[in-house]
Amino acid sequence: MSAGPLAIPSVAARRGAARMSAVSLALWTVRFLVVALVVAGTIGTILKDRYTTAQWFEFVLFGLTIGSLYAQVALGYTMVYGVLRLINFAHGDIMMCGAFAGYFVATPLENSGFLEVHPVLGMAAILAAGMVVSGVIAVLTERIAYRPFRRVQGFAPLICAFGVSFFLEQTFRGLFGSSVKSYPAPKWEGVEFHWAGLSVPGVDLLVIVLAVAFMAVLYLIVQKTRMGMAMRAVSEDGEAAALMGVDVGKVIVFTFALGGAMAGIAGVFYAFLFKQVYFYMGFTPGIKAFGGAVLGGIGSVPGAMLGGFFLGLVESVGPSLFLDGIGIKAPYELRDVIAYTLMILVLVFRPQGILGEHMAKKRA
Amino acid sequence: MAEASLLLCRRLTRRFGGIAALTDLDLEVASGAIHSIIGPNGAGKTTVFNCITQNLSPTSGEVWFRSDRIDGLTPDRVAAAGISRTYQNIRLFRNITAIENLLVGMHLHVHSHWWGAVLGTPHTKREEARAHAEALKLLHFIDLAGRGDLLARNLAYGEQRRLEIGRALATRPKLLLLDEPTAGMNPHETSRMMAFIQRVRAEFDITILLIEHQMRVVMGMSDRVTVLDHGAKIAEGTPPEVQGDPAVIEAYLGVKSAAPTAARDHAASLLGAAASER
Amino acid sequence: MKTLTKAATTGLLFGVGGVYLALVGLLEMMQARPIVFGAVNLGQAVLALLALACGAVAARDAGPAFARAGAGLLGGLLAGALMALLQVIVATVPLQGMFIAASPALRNMLAFGFAPGPGALAMLLGGGIGGLAGAVLAVSVPSLRRAIVAGAAAVVIAGVFQELIQLMIQYEGIIGWIRDFVYTWQGLRPQGAVAIFVIAGGTSLVLSHRSSAGHVPSPDQRRRRRFISAGVALLVLVLMPLLAGAYIGEVLMLVGLYILMGMGLNLEVGLAGLLDLGFVAFFAVGAYTTALLMSGSSIGLLHLSYWEAMPIAVLVSILGGVLFGLPVLGVRGDYLAVATLGLGEIVRIVVLSDFAAPLLGGPQGVLDIPKPSIGSFELGSPVKLFYLTLVCAGVAAFIAWRLENSRLGRAWEALRDDEDVAQALGVNLIRSKLLAYGLGAAFAGLGGSIFATMLGSVYPSSFQLLISINVLALIIVGGMGSLPGVVLGAIALIGLPELLREFGEYRYLFYGAALIVMMRWKPEGLWPSEVRSRELHAAAGEAEPVAAMEPG
Amino acid sequence: MKTKLLVACFGLALLAGAWWPGPARAATSGPVTDPLGVIRIPKGAPIVIGGYWVLSGPDTALGLDEKRAVEVAIHDIGGNLLGHPIEFQAEDDQCDAEGGQTAATKLASIPNMVIVLGPACSSAATPAAPILWQAGIVDIGTACTAPSLTAPDRKATYDGFVRTVFSDNDQGAFDAHYIYDVLKLKTAVAVHDGSPYAEQLAHVFAGAFTQLGGKVLSIEAVSPTEVDMHPVLTRIASEKPDVIYMPIFVAASAQILRQAKEIPGLQHALIYGGASLMAPDMIEAAGPAVVGFHIGYPDVSPTSMGKTYPKLVSEYTKMFGEAPISGFHANAYDGATLAFKAIAAVAKTDSAGSLYIGRKALRDAVFATTFDGTSGPIACDQYGECAKFKGAVFEYTNADPKTFKIGVNPKKIWP
């Protein structure tokens, strides 16, 4: 396994081996394969000419819609990672909590007809419920499960986050049952817009626009308010910020509340789009949103938004664009594979993401 | 290349983003010497270490060790070539015992395969016994006999420093890089550490490259001193030579070379002996 | 005043805990499992336990005995009040549309069968009495307290696992007579419960008297005692399926499989510090390789026998582990966890997909996998396969133990603590990490291989992310890096839930809670790995002069 | 030294364990001789009957419905058989292979287990049936429809397995026939969700539809928890099918129904689902989009079911406070009836009042018994297929979950 120091092979051979080790060869093979696959698939699809322009437009639109939700959830990951260097694995489940809260407000509102008559007020109430419940649960989670680990290195916080994720999911299953609950569908959301032969469902448009608006508000909070600035300072260097008189504990609570509220909004939108609420709904979107956060550069707020949108887009367009072209049957079955692959590629090849600085090493 | 020099850095440069931590450094360490690197905070001293051991790959420049070029190798190959180091903020394997830390250091010199360990072959057993005996000797040498079964994190500060040096020695290096071995020590402990370092050189017959802040240590035991400032070498020579160098005084006091003699004298005395007050 | 506040807070907290248990549906489910047939069920026992614990905690450091009793009473009353309130609300407000567990059955249980009003009063009183009793118990003589707790625990175990115990004592004669005295077919008899309580409590009393007269055991003695008890536990494990039959064999077989996987993941996580959440992929590789090599169905490849297929499966798993590890070599810490999670999911989805179906069978899986046989002796039943698993787990444990104490094991531990430093000391990161992935995968692949032949069929749905989580949870609960911890964790997290099947839906609730609780209060696990003493183990000879140690 | 001793003990015990003789099969007991063993039930002791279905998780309704039907069957014969009380012990198989194996092992280890009913899922039945048969116990499947379980080339280890439910082959052929011959629709896309049931049925349908002359444009797959169906539907729309055939489960099919309305080019395609979508949950989950949705299902209208079906439904409703919650209760009821009839046919009582049942004899009796069941005539062929598929097509007509009633909403539209 190891040679004594005197038995070193010739310099040239060693240098060659170091520069082009088996590992980097393997990694280059991976890169090459992925690029080849994407290019071949794209060319194949273009040659097949199976989809119309309108259909491509739809792939993009639906991708952006789900991407806007990933982006909102990704924000929570990114902010928490920034201040605590912790992957809050339960964040997807916090989104689920918001969706449930929204459901228990939306259903009576719809049944009483209020939501039909006053869409704006009704939506505001539903969103508020989602925000508050998710925010409160996020803060409680921090208090109970994460605070004791603030100074702990290693796996403990991440494993605890796993525990929280299970606990939240199973608690909601126990409380509200494992059946899929159906979100109300007020009549006004069935509107469709038509333009130049393309049709846009009103809900999708509403979700994208509102999501972007809420994210803009969050961006302003982070950039302009005292608390937001304190948060960025803690992200940058927690100890220095503490020395400058920033109350780190308060900042962390604020971060969780903000991220939780954002996830709550995402949960309500998610439920409005897909009309389903159940206890396990947050897990997969949560992981994907984390992928989005990594993609954009974890720790960076604009990065998370960008990454979320990008992930949604690739997931929606990818199977048709890349996989269809190389003749894979039932490509949408492999949709999650595309999302996970993208996430792993970023983690392996560019852990700092599109916009982020290199944070991956700070914790390790 | 001179026959006597063990390590040679040529035009070594390292940039972080746009900032140069190290610019065109030429460094030559003579075989058997104690060679110190000094300089104000942020002068790029630890970066030199990282670029030698390849924890950081240099942006440009070359590093030669004995007759081999070692930049571009992975750190474990650098260790195999015969360079070992300690860290400014002690980096022991905290969750294993002291003696196991030493055994990890012997990794390169225990010749056994994992399947040999699984099967319990006589060869493996022999190797383990040999490594064990060697570790015990080393433990004795670093004055930790009887404390070997304590977890590294439970050792006292000075013991941790010595254990880290012991671990580095366990790799049987030709060149030992010590990054501020006396940091955080009182004068008494510092003296003991100095004696210990001398003993290391004598007993193991190795070359030592030292980063140090305490001038008493540097001036008291170095054969040669290199002074860095802002990532560049500003002076090099024997301790007395360096002590008198105006550029060095300027770097330490931030005064122009045309400064009054009094200030220069003050600086020289500071560099020379002031540290002994600590 | 402070005592009062503390007692009140404790009471409220326990009350909230009780309300949580009720609304999440656990209490009602526990009610269905009798402890003493016709008298006490598990739900009531848990309520009582809550009240007692509440009283005991409220009374802690409350000063003089009467103050303690008062604190316990107050805490219990408050907890009872919350539960009573819940009962009244469930009775008056139709909550079940929202909380599915808020059923009339639950209300009835919380009211002890009375109408809402008297029921609330009963709960309040019950809480108070329980709290008081808990406080009294907390201040009573330790040996007495221990005896009562031991007796009660014995009764609960004998009652809750009555089905199982009865299966084990299906004999005539004296055992039959004892069985009929203690049990009816449906559960524990009251007379049996009393007998068990007295025997267990009495034993505890006698033991505590003896040990109080004795001495504190030395570390060496303790180690020997541990060693012996581990040996006894192992023997029991070996003999248990013979005495208790196929079902216990089946449960133990599952435990054995998880021990095998736990040993593998322990190499990766516990020793090398590589947090791998895609571990199930190796299990799948082992299972599918075995299945494809052995299956008699149309997608079977070679129709090998098990003894030929198993080594190939293990080799393929190792290869899988190395390929899996290659891309993520440079990914560290939390990022590694997420990357491996993604990899594991990719493997599952691809196995399930239509794209790979011509090779792997897609959702229909691979059927018709024969059982292993030695000569003409077929290892057909779960009990026989359990012995195969046990042997494999034993071999795995041996390998893991030897590795742990080897050069490679030390390199792993170094890598876990500080990757950069380990590398600077000459540890080849790539090689060490790939060995960790490969060897970990070997164990999981072996487990998968046994799994395939045990079921005789392999479906993609068996390789969910939850398997990875189960394995991770068991090594964390058991104690990271500790081999006995793996065994203990597997028994606690896999065996126990399998015996309490009706609580299956709550399994992951317990897991979640267990992970949080363990990380907060006992991060080293139930059976932590021991610090190896090397210096003392060596012949304590004088160290020779160091100068003799020539470098190079 | 001590270690070695321990290891030696361990090894010895292991050897002893592996070669410990299994329970000897008493060939003769009382008045009965049987090659597989005889069950002796003393006077007054219960006849133990086992069952295993999915009783937890998302498919609970499927299994619970069948378990309840067996309880109705036991209730209907007064809880007694040949003067012995019936003790019914049901286990949860979680609808997967491991669960099936564990449940079967547990049932097989219960002393004097006479016969076992269930399961609902083929993936559970595949490992479970051989385990039960190895213990000499007959297993009557009540909703597991995989063709392989009763295929002519099935292994001898499945000799003890019969089922009172039809095979997927029949369902798929029926659906293809209806769509191609009755509706005259020529192109289809089949969608499955990766479950063994749906995947099998999608492929059986595709085969049958192609054979009839139709064209299957593609077989797509989604994941059962997928919510965003837009992209896959857009893809399907590019193929312009007349029919989307999706024998999948409630959550995913509700998404497809809803989102297909938003996809240009799919608004007019017929969406046709499988038997698992006959549930009030379906209406709730799909909302208004459910109207017009077709499903192929066993014909449970009183006119085509056995004469006793209405009685089963009313009894079921009386006992459990709600109408049957899923589709295979009649099959389960028939399975229980088959078991009782077979036991009654072979059991012998001695002078002391003890009951003796030969295991091989019981198996043969199950295969030989024929009767008119609530789901139709029951008569097993030599591979254990005891029921014939009699299908119907239903259409949802109302989006209010409260109106769910099999035969009303969804309404039977064919034949």
Side-chain angles (χ1 to χ4, degrees):
Chain A
M1 177 158 187
S2 61
L6 294 175
I8 303 171
S10 81
V11 175
R14 262 185 319 133
R15 295 188 54 77
R19 285 272 147 77
M20 199 65 195
S21 68
V23 177
S24 56
L25 191 73
L27 290 184
W28 275 105
T29 317
V30 170
R31 277 185 220 209
F32 176 76
L33 275 180
V34 168
V35 172
L37 224 68
V38 166
V39 171
T42 309
I43 292 173
T45 305
I46 292 171
L47 288 183
K48 269 190 194 169
D49 194 23
R50 170 176 181 163
Y51 304 101
T52 63
T53 314
Q55 278 164 339
W56 283 118
F57 173 76
E58 261 154 38
F59 283 134
V60 171
L61 177 75
F62 296 136
L64 288 180
T65 315
I66 191 133
S68 72
L69 300 180
Y70 289 156
Q72 279 177 295
V73 181
L75 280 173
Y77 276 110
T78 255
M79 291 191 299
V80 167
Y81 196 91
V83 297
L84 278 187
R85 299 288 179 275
L86 162 78
I87 298 178
N88 179 10
F89 221 90
H91 195 63
D93 301 299
I94 286 171
M95 175 190 110
M96 175 270 294
C97 301
F100 262 96
Y103 169 80
F104 286 117
V105 175
T107 312
L109 284 187
E110 171 70 12
N111 289 348
S112 65
F114 183 85
L115 194 56
E116 298 286 352
V117 189
H118 305 286
V120 177
L121 272 181
M123 275 307 279
I126 296 167
L127 283 172
M131 280 170 78
V132 169
V133 168
S134 281
V136 166
I137 290 181
V139 169
L140 278 180
T141 305
E142 193 275 330
R143 177 71 194 81
I144 294 167
Y146 300 146
R147 194 170 294 179
F149 299 111
R150 213 172 273 170
R151 304 235 161 259
V152 177
Q153 293 274 316
F155 303 147
L158 185 70
I159 285 166
C160 219
F162 263 111
V164 171
S165 170
F166 276 122
F167 190 76
L168 283 179
E169 279 165 21
Q170 297 301 320
T171 297
F172 273 68
R173 191 198 61 73
L175 291 178
F176 307 116
S178 53
S179 67
V180 174
K181 300 200 183 310
S182 170
Y183 239 59
K187 299 208 170 40
W188 45 260
E189 65 156 50
V191 184
E192 279 195 21
F193 298 97
H194 295 273
W195 174 72
L198 309 172
S199 71
V200 181
V203 205
D204 293 51
L205 207 63
L206 183 77
V207 166
I208 295 179
V209 169
L210 281 182
V212 170
F214 276 112
M215 283 192 276
V217 170
L218 179 124
Y219 187 72
L220 285 180
I221 292 178
V222 172
Q223 290 296 325
K224 303 286 178 203
T225 63
R226 270 187 71 83
M227 211 56 191
M229 280 191 259
M231 200 175 108
R232 280 186 296 140
V234 174
S235 276
E236 204 66 35
D237 186 338
E239 275 167 32
L243 287 176
M244 308 287 271
V246 173
D247 183 345
V248 177
K250 228 161 133 188
V251 167
I252 290 172
V253 169
F254 174 76
T255 308
F256 271 88
L258 203 60
M262 210 65 202
I265 296 171
V268 170
F269 285 157
Y270 193 89
F272 247 93
L273 264 181
F274 303 120
K275 300 298 172 203
Q276 290 186 352
V277 183
Y278 71 108
F279 70 98
Y280 200 60
M281 65 185 274
F283 189 76
T284 314
I287 293 185
K288 288 187 186 168
F290 174 76
V294 172
L295 195 62
I298 198 145
S300 149
V301 167
M305 300 182 197
L306 197 71
F309 274 112
F310 187 67
L311 186 74
L313 204 60
V314 170
E315 217 187 83
S316 172
V317 177
S320 288
L321 189 61
F322 313 142
L323 299 182
D324 216 352
I326 44 177
I328 286 180
K329 282 188 282 180
Y332 276 93
E333 204 175 16
L334 300 177
R335 173 176 165 156
D336 287 1
V337 170
I338 291 187
Y340 288 130
T341 308
L342 186 65
M343 181 177 84
I344 294 168
L345 289 177
V346 173
L347 285 173
V348 171
F349 294 113
R350 198 180 157 80
Q352 69 271 40
I354 302 172
L355 294 184
E357 41 185 319
H358 206 306
M359 285 224 179
K361 280 207 166 160
K362 279 197 187 168
R363 190 192 171 87
Chain B
M1 198 189 328
E3 196 52 45
S5 76
L6 185 69
L7 178 84
L8 186 73
C9 298
R10 221 180 267 153
R11 301 181 67 78
L12 199 59
T13 303
R14 169 72 202 191
R15 287 196 191 85
F16 294 102
I19 303 151
L22 211 57
T23 326
D24 287 340
L25 176 74
D26 289 325
L27 181 71
E28 195 175 335
V29 179
S31 194
I34 292 186
H35 189 135
S36 294
I37 300 179
I38 63 170
N41 278 327
K45 302 184 296 286
T46 300
T47 310
V48 177
F49 272 24
N50 283 333
C51 286
I52 293 172
T53 57
Q54 302 302 318
N55 279 17
L56 286 174
S57 43
T59 312
S60 67
E62 297 169 2
V63 184
W64 291 80
F65 181 64
R66 303 215 276 175
S67 52
D68 294 325
R69 190 170 161 192
I70 59 168
D71 58 288
L73 299 182
T74 48
D76 51 312
R77 281 163 180 272
V78 174
I83 301 181
S84 188
R85 70 173 290 188
T86 67
Y87 299 83
Q88 192 176 349
N89 46 340
I90 306 172
R91 287 171 80 175
L92 287 169
F93 303 120
R94 295 167 52 76
N95 299 315
I96 55 179
T97 60
I99 195 164
E100 282 175 318
N101 266 278
L102 296 180
L103 285 167
V104 172
M106 279 170 206
H107 187 84
L108 285 165
H109 305 286
V110 181
H111 302 280
S112 68
H113 287 288
W114 64 268
W115 60 81
V118 169
L119 299 174
T121 57
H123 171 73
T124 312
K125 282 184 179 160
R126 235 177 8 245
E127 279 290 306
E128 282 290 310
R130 192 182 56 74
H132 207 275
E134 202 175 313
L136 279 179
K137 279 184 218 159
L138 206 47
L139 200 64
H140 197 262
F141 177 75
I142 59 176
D143 216 5
L144 282 178
R147 320 243 326 139
D149 286 338
L150 288 176
L151 290 181
R153 61 162 185 258
N154 294 335
L155 292 174
Y157 181 78
E159 291 176 327
Q160 293 198 3
R161 278 275 175 219
R162 289 202 302 279
L163 177 59
E164 204 189 17
I165 295 175
R167 187 182 65 184
L169 288 173
T171 65
R172 300 184 193 163
K174 301 270 176 298
L175 173 66
L176 179 63
L177 313 183
L178 299 176
D179 197 343
E180 296 201 30
T182 65
M185 287 185 170
N186 62 33
H188 175 65
E189 287 169 334
T190 304
S191 302
R192 279 188 58 192
M193 181 52 83
M194 283 171 70
F196 178 68
I197 293 173
Q198 304 272 24
R199 212 151 63 86
V200 167
R201 174 164 66 159
E203 301 235 16
F204 288 84
D205 187 24
I206 57 178
T207 311
I208 292 175
L209 183 60
L210 183 76
I211 293 178
E212 199 34 87
H213 252 114
Q214 297 199 35
M215 287 306 152
R216 182 167 68 100
V217 177
V218 176
M219 300 309 165
M221 57 190 240
S222 306
D223 298 317
R224 211 169 167 76
V225 179
T226 300
V227 189
L228 292 188
D229 190 21
H230 293 109
K233 182 159 82 178
I234 57 171
E236 193 171 68
T238 60
E241 286 167 15
V242 169
Q243 256 167 317
D245 193 314
V248 177
I249 294 160
E250 182 198 316
Y252 268 80
L253 289 181
V255 283
K256 289 244 158 21
S257 52
T261 335
R264 212 156 54 202
D265 288 348
H266 173 64
S269 71
L270 190 93
L271 282 165
S276 63
E277 285 162 26
R278 287 181 61 199
Chain C
M1 192 60 219
K2 212 171 145 204
T3 313
L4 218 61
T5 331
K6 186 182 169 246
T9 329
T10 311
L12 288 177
L13 272 178
F14 272 86
V16 169
V19 170
Y20 175 84
L21 286 182
L23 285 183
V24 101
L26 266 170
L27 272 187
E28 203 185 326
M29 191 162 259
M30 287 172 173
Q31 198 184 13
R33 195 166 262 244
I35 293 178
V36 181
F37 185 69
V40 184
N41 63 48
L42 190 59
Q44 290 158 341
V46 166
L47 279 181
L49 186 69
L50 268 179
L52 286 171
C54 175
V57 173
R60 215 167 42 188
D61 4 288
F66 72 89
R68 289 191 179 204
L73 182 66
L74 178 68
L77 276 176
L78 273 174
L82 272 185
M83 296 296 278
L85 188 67
L86 173 70
Q87 186 259 127
V88 173
I89 292 176
V90 171
T92 46
V93 187
L95 265 188
Q96 216 180 351
M98 192 163 170
F99 297 103
I100 53 161
S103 63
L106 177 75
R107 190 214 69 80
N108 201 28
M109 176 194 179
L110 291 179
F112 305 105
F114 298 119
L121 203 63
M123 176 57 87
L124 195 65
L125 279 180
I129 294 169
L132 191 61
V136 169
L137 208 57
V139 297
S140 62
V141 191
S143 63
L144 186 69
R145 183 170 65 221
R146 240 174 280 146
I148 291 175
V149 170
V155 171
V156 168
I157 290 171
V160 169
F161 297 111
Q162 59 92 10
E163 226 178 277
L164 196 75
I165 297 171
Q166 292 216 50
L167 273 180
M168 290 166 62
I169 47 175
Q170 287 295 316
Y171 299 98
E172 300 301 318
I174 181 84
I175 296 178
W177 183 84
I178 294 175
R179 181 191 63 223
D180 290 341
F181 176 77
V182 176
Y183 288 110
T184 73
W185 182 240
Q186 293 116 319
L188 202 58
R189 292 170 192 266
Q191 64 201 42
V194 172
I196 289 173
F197 184 84
V198 168
I199 291 170
T203 315
S204 159
L205 262 184
V206 171
L207 282 182
S208 65
H209 270 282
R210 264 182 47 190
S211 73
S212 65
H215 58 288
V216 184
S218 72
D220 216 37
Q221 264 175 322
R222 224 179 301 147
R223 194 171 312 121
R224 194 175 315 146
R225 221 176 264 177
R226 258 188 165 182
F227 186 72
I228 291 173
S229 61
V232 170
L234 213 63
L235 268 181
V236 169
L237 213 61
V238 172
L239 295 176
M240 189 106 139
L242 293 180
L243 303 173
Y247 175 57
I248 287 293
E250 168 80 24
V251 172
L252 286 177
M253 152 112 223
L254 273 179
V255 171
L257 277 182
Y258 273 94
I259 290 176
L260 208 48
M261 285 198 278
M263 299 270 173
L265 190 62
N266 196 35
L267 293 185
E268 285 182 32
V269 182
L271 288 184
L274 304 165
L275 189 48
D276 180 356
L277 294 179
F279 197 63
V280 66
F282 311 139
F283 185 59
V285 169
Y288 264 92
T289 311
T290 309
L292 290 175
L293 291 175
M294 290 179 72
S295 168
S297 72
S298 57
I299 57 169
L301 297 174
L302 292 173
H303 313 293
L304 296 182
S305 80
Y306 183 71
W307 309 112
E308 293 160 333
M310 181 178 79
I312 300 178
V314 171
L315 284 179
V316 173
S317 305
I318 294 178
L319 191 69
V322 171
L323 286 179
F324 184 95
L326 259 181
V328 294
L329 273 175
V331 185
R332 292 184 186 189
D334 294 1
Y335 275 30
L336 179 66
V338 183
T340 49
L341 187 154
L343 272 176
E345 282 291 278
I346 289 175
V347 169
R348 183 183 66 80
I349 299 171
V350 168
V351 166
L352 181 67
S353 69
D354 284 13
F355 159 65
L359 185 64
L360 303 176
Q364 300 306 323
V366 186
L367 308 184
D368 195 13
I369 307 164
K371 300 274 186 239
S373 52
I374 305 169
S376 62
F377 179 78
E378 191 184 60
L379 296 174
S381 69
V383 174
K384 285 170 191 150
L385 279 170
F386 162 69
Y387 287 108
L388 176 67
T389 318
L390 197 63
V391 170
C392 289
V395 171
F398 178 76
I399 293 177
W401 173 67
R402 277 282 174 87
L403 281 176
E404 211 178 281
N405 294 296
S406 74
R407 174 174 177 268
L408 180 62
R410 287 192 299 269
W412 280 339
E413 283 175 317
L415 190 96
R416 177 188 66 193
D417 274 10
D418 195 326
E419 216 176 290
D420 294 330
V421 178
Q423 198 181 17
L425 290 170
V427 174
N428 183 332
L429 287 191
I430 296 169
R431 200 188 157 92
S432 313
K433 282 191 180 181
L434 289 184
L435 271 172
Y437 284 115
L439 291 171
F443 291 5
L446 181 60
S449 167
I450 298 174
F451 181 80
T453 181
M454 163 187 110
L455 285 181
S457 52
V458 173
Y459 296 95
S461 62
S462 302
F463 306 102
Q464 306 277 357
L465 172 67
L466 286 177
I467 306 268
S468 301
I469 306 278
N470 283 350
V471 181
L472 184 69
L474 79 86
I475 66 174
I476 284 164
V477 169
M480 259 207 254
S482 147
L483 293 177
V486 170
V487 178
L488 200 63
I491 291 172
L493 290 191
I494 307 299
L496 216 57
E498 208 53 58
L499 295 179
L500 298 166
R501 283 178 74 82
E502 74 260 37
F503 295 106
E505 294 211 70
Y506 291 92
R507 183 182 208 160
Y508 292 101
L509 185 67
F510 287 129
Y511 275 23
L515 286 183
I516 300 172
V517 168
M518 289 305 290
M519 281 294 121
R520 268 199 76 162
W521 285 285
K522 210 166 166 25
E524 71 278 10
L526 292 176
W527 190 325
S529 60
E530 280 176 48
V531 175
R532 284 181 291 276
S533 38
R534 285 177 182 283
E535 192 183 5
L536 291 177
H537 264 209
E542 283 298 300
E544 288 166 46
V546 182
M549 231 172 66
E550 199 52 43
Chain D
M1 186 58 220
K2 235 179 232 153
T3 324
K4 286 193 177 144
L5 203 70
L6 206 75
V7 169
C9 279
F10 179 68
L12 269 178
L14 214 69
L15 277 177
W19 269 270
W20 188 276
R25 287 186 164 164
T28 308
S29 175
V32 177
T33 301
D34 192 281
L36 292 181
V38 178
I39 306 159
R40 174 178 171 274
I41 301 165
K43 189 173 168 81
I47 295 179
V48 185
I49 289 178
Y52 64 117
W53 293 279
V54 46
L55 299 176
S56 65
D59 305 320
T60 306
L62 182 69
L64 189 61
D65 188 48
E66 291 162 57
K67 174 174 173 259
R68 286 174 171 181
V70 172
E71 282 163 356
V72 173
I74 295 171
H75 176 82
D76 280 356
I77 58 165
N80 271 290
L81 190 60
L82 305 168
H84 292 258
I86 294 177
E87 189 182 306
F88 175 49
Q89 217 162 355
E91 292 290 329
D92 180 10
D93 67 20
Q94 292 153 336
C95 200
D96 60 27
E98 302 92 290
Q101 160 133 348
T102 313
T105 312
K106 180 157 189 198
L107 291 170
S109 70
I110 293 171
N112 280 347
M113 176 60 66
V114 177
I115 199 164
V116 168
L117 297 156
C121 302
S122 302
S123 49
T126 307
I131 290 172
L132 291 168
W133 184 230
Q134 200 179 24
I137 300 168
V138 174
D139 182 11
I140 303 179
T142 51
C144 37
T145 51
S148 63
L149 288 170
T150 57
D153 63 346
R154 71 176 184 172
K155 286 253 159 87
T157 47
Y158 287 88
D159 278 354
F161 179 81
V162 302
R163 67 177 167 206
T164 52
V165 67
F166 50 87
S167 156
D168 286 339
N169 281 341
D170 301 335
Q171 165 103 49
F174 168 82
D175 292 336
H177 165 67
Y178 173 74
I179 292 169
Y180 188 83
D181 293 332
V182 179
L183 296 181
K184 312 271 184 229
L185 299 175
K186 306 300 177 207
T187 58
V189 167
V191 179
H192 70 83
D193 63 357
S195 67
Y197 164 76
E199 200 248 10
Q200 180 120 38
L201 199 45
H203 281 93
V204 168
F205 167 81
F209 195 68
T210 312
Q211 210 161 39
L212 288 172
K215 188 159 167 30
V216 175
L217 300 166
S218 68
I219 297 180
E220 296 290 338
V222 297
S223 96
T225 53
E226 182 72 79
V227 288
D228 185 12
M229 301 290 179
H230 287 122
V232 70
L233 288 172
T234 305
R235 180 184 156 80
I236 291 174
S238 76
E239 298 175 307
K240 305 187 185 63
D242 298 332
V243 183
I244 298 176
Y245 180 74
M246 48 167 207
I248 57 179
F249 293 90
V250 170
S253 50
Q255 293 300 358
I256 289 185
L257 277 178
R258 279 177 187 276
Q259 294 173 25
K261 303 280 179 217
E262 297 168 10
I263 305 290
L266 281 187
Q267 275 99 342
H268 303 294
L270 175 75
I271 302 185
Y272 188 102
S276 51
L277 303 180
M278 177 69 85
D281 276 4
M282 187 65 217
I283 305 181
E284 164 137 17
V290 82
V291 174
F293 176 46
H294 287 48
I295 54 178
Y297 195 72
D299 191 347
V300 289
S301 59
T303 47
S304 74
M305 289 298 261
K307 292 189 291 290
T308 47
Y309 184 70
K311 190 170 153 277
L312 166 62
V313 174
S314 73
E315 197 66 36
Y316 184 113
T317 315
K318 212 166 79 197
M319 278 175 73
F320 301 106
E322 57 182 337
I325 49 175
S326 184
F328 296 94
H329 46 276
N331 307 83
Y333 186 89
D334 287 347
T337 310
L338 175 60
F340 301 152
K341 283 187 190 296
I343 292 170
V346 296
K348 295 203 167 59
T349 310
D350 68 5
S351 52
S354 293
L355 195 70
Y356 296 87
I357 304 169
R359 292 202 179 274
K360 178 75 167 58
L362 180 61
R363 186 257 177 200
D364 293 342
V366 167
F367 275 74
T369 305
T370 61
F371 64 99
D372 255 346
T374 49
S375 65
I378 297 292
C380 304
D381 70 9
Q382 55 177 317
Y383 308 112
E385 191 81 82
C386 307
K388 283 281 153 290
F389 181 67
K390 212 183 322 162
V393 179
F394 292 78
E395 181 181 355
Y396 280 100
T397 53
N398 192 318
D400 183 359
K402 290 186 202 72
T403 60
F404 178 84
K405 185 158 189 266
I406 297 175
V408 178
N409 181 33
K411 191 175 81 191
K412 180 178 155 190
I413 54 172
W414 191 82

